[in-house]
Amino acid sequence: MISSTPTKATTKITVPAAGTQPNSNKLMRVLMFTLTISMMTGIMFNIALPKISEQFSLSLSQVSWLSSAYILIYAIGAVTYGKLADRYTLKSIVTFGLLLFAAGSLIGLASQTFAMALIGRCLQAAGAAVIPAIAMIIPLRYFAPERRGAALGMTAVGLAFGNALGPVVAALIISTVHWRWLFAVPLLVLAVLPLYRRYLREEQPASGGSFDWLGGILLAAAIALLLMSVSKGLWLVLGALLALAFFLVRINKAAEPFIAPKLFRNAKYTLGLTISFLVNGTCCSLYVLSPLLFANVHKLPSIWIGFMMIPAAAAAAIFGRKGGKLADAKGNSFVAYLAAGLLVSCFLLLSTFIGSSPLLIAGFLILGNVGQSFLVIAVSNSVSRTLQAEQVGVGMGMLAMINFIAQGIAISVYSKAVDLGSFASWNPLYRYSSGFVFSNISLVLAGLSIVIWAVFFFVFGRVREGDKANYAAGAQGTARSVSA
């Protein structure tokens, strides 16, 4: 076990040498299963919203809080658990998070009113938020830098499985039993809780210090107002900026701030967050717009829409781990450039042939989903190497939070764009009579994918000698040991 000395400004936990845990691969398989359940839980209720609206005589915008509140709490919780992971053992926070996840599911399963279902959903999100946080932290703490890409590849597999199974399982449950049984699926995480407690190390938390709850509340307020501004009115952006200003003042004044200001002075880290925001905002279109495309343009029923999206998610699951191994073998830049090529090809093909056969569209989505998993691996791995040991928990929690904020904003933007529609195609090669808006969005996303590639190249594509030393220090921060 490593020893550590807490400083005045931060309270840290001590972890053993990275990559020496014999059960690290088993732990990643457990994490992969948990990520699958978490992703399914996040998207299954989107399919049930019309039935819930009908049962409680509420509008779709009202019942959509079952999804909006989940995303909001999930985003805030991810960075909160990341901060707690710098102070408490992973075993403790995982146990708390998964038990809260299950408790919310039980409340939702027993609910008879919309208010009770919403409470259950919020508790679900508050517990499930531990999962994206540990998905970022475990590869850093349990794997040596040269094996970290493969570990991140396994997390991509879990996300891909969740994306594939979520719509299909939801459609089957809704068509055979009551929609409340969607709350039963997350109870499966209780089966792996004993495995987490067996495979997670007995870390040695440092004592003392205080948790900056005020800083956390101000950050949560800023995020909530920002996400709500997309659908409720841009005037809420002013409130978000005000809360953010108070948050920045707080972290510069507090003895032990929620997020240390020096984290934001790390230029490569902050630029990495920007790239990740663009990546997630762009790539979430693949699972947000595709169901709308199949329903509105190709007139497919819900169950067939789910089946059409399975090949792409399965391909992402199959190739996701290979992408991680490629990152370890040939570098993050190689994987990022390969991913950019796949995404640009996918969006250009969709923009040109979006009105053609649904089977052909399903084939194009394979390119995009594999490209997405590759790019997420490359960006996450690159960002992780900019962090020092004491910044890993909150730094990777911030990354997870940024990802969810990007998805929440992008989902609203895409939905509004589809509602507005389009009467002409911007792509001169498009020859179909319908689906103009989907073609135009895909064309814009192809251009944005090129921008992302260029920014990634500027930030991480060329590593100067001085930066290599800094990356090595950050990558090896969790690998220091005094005993084998």
Side-chain angles (χ1 to χ4, degrees), residues 203-360:
E203 299 161 343
Q204 182 179 346
S207 60
S210 59
F211 190 84
D212 182 18
W213 289 107
L214 178 58
I217 291 171
L218 289 171
L219 179 61
I223 296 168
L225 291 169
L226 178 62
L227 290 177
M228 291 171 62
S229 69
V230 180
S231 58
K232 303 298 182 182
L234 291 178
W235 61 272
L236 289 174
V237 173
L238 296 177
L241 292 175
L242 183 62
L244 181 60
F246 281 123
F247 169 73
L248 294 175
V249 171
R250 172 64 184 177
I251 63 175
N252 280 284
K253 297 293 185 181
E256 296 186 29
F258 187 77
I259 298 176
K262 67 178 182 179
L263 186 63
F264 297 111
R265 291 195 287 267
N266 182 340
K268 286 193 176 293
Y269 173 75
T270 53
L271 287 171
L273 292 184
T274 303
I275 296 171
S276 190
F277 181 91
L278 294 173
V279 168
N280 282 272
T282 300
C283 293
C284 78
S285 65
L286 295 170
Y287 60 83
V288 172
L289 291 177
S290 299
L292 297 176
L293 165 64
F294 285 128
N296 296 346
V297 178
H298 299 287
K299 310 301 180 184
L300 295 182
S302 297
I303 190 67
W304 282 107
I305 291 174
F307 283 124
M308 284 296 169
M309 296 180 68
I310 286 179
I318 292 170
F319 289 101
R321 197 170 183 185
K322 295 184 182 297
K325 291 180 178 179
L326 273 177
D328 290 336
K330 297 193 175 183
N332 297 317
S333 296
F334 176 83
V335 174
Y337 304 154
L338 180 60
L342 291 171
L343 284 168
V344 171
S345 299
C346 169
F347 289 130
L348 286 178
L349 289 169
L350 286 175
S351 178
T352 305
F353 300 103
I354 215 159
S356 64
S357 166
L359 292 175
L360 193 60

Side-chain angles (χ1 to χ4, degrees), residues 35-41 43 157-167 313:
L35 280 167
T36 300
I37 299 298
S38 174
M39 180 59 66
M40 290 175 61
T41 304
I43 64 179
V157 171
L159 295 175
F161 275 135
N163 273 326
L165 295 175

Side-chain angles (χ1 to χ4, degrees), residues 60-116:
L60 278 175
S61 62
Q62 289 174 310
V63 298
S64 67
W65 273 104
L66 289 172
S67 295
S68 301
Y70 189 93
I71 293 174
L72 176 61
I73 297 172
Y74 207 66
I76 297 168
V79 69
T80 303
Y81 281 115
K83 177 66 176 178
L84 291 172
D86 288 333
R87 299 168 50 86
Y88 302 101
T89 67
L90 282 182
K91 184 178 292 188
S92 297
I93 66 169
V94 168
T95 300
F96 174 81
L98 294 188
L99 288 177
L100 186 59
F101 191 16
S105 301
L106 288 173
I107 291 173
L109 187 59
S111 64
Q112 296 298 320
T113 64
F114 176 74
M116 189 59 67

Side-chain angles (χ1 to χ4, degrees), residues 49-50 52-63 113-115:
L49 292 182
I52 299 172
S53 172
E54 180 182 348
Q55 176 175 338
F56 294 113
S57 300
L58 298 171
S59 67
L60 278 175
S61 62
Q62 289 174 310
V63 298
T113 64
F114 176 74

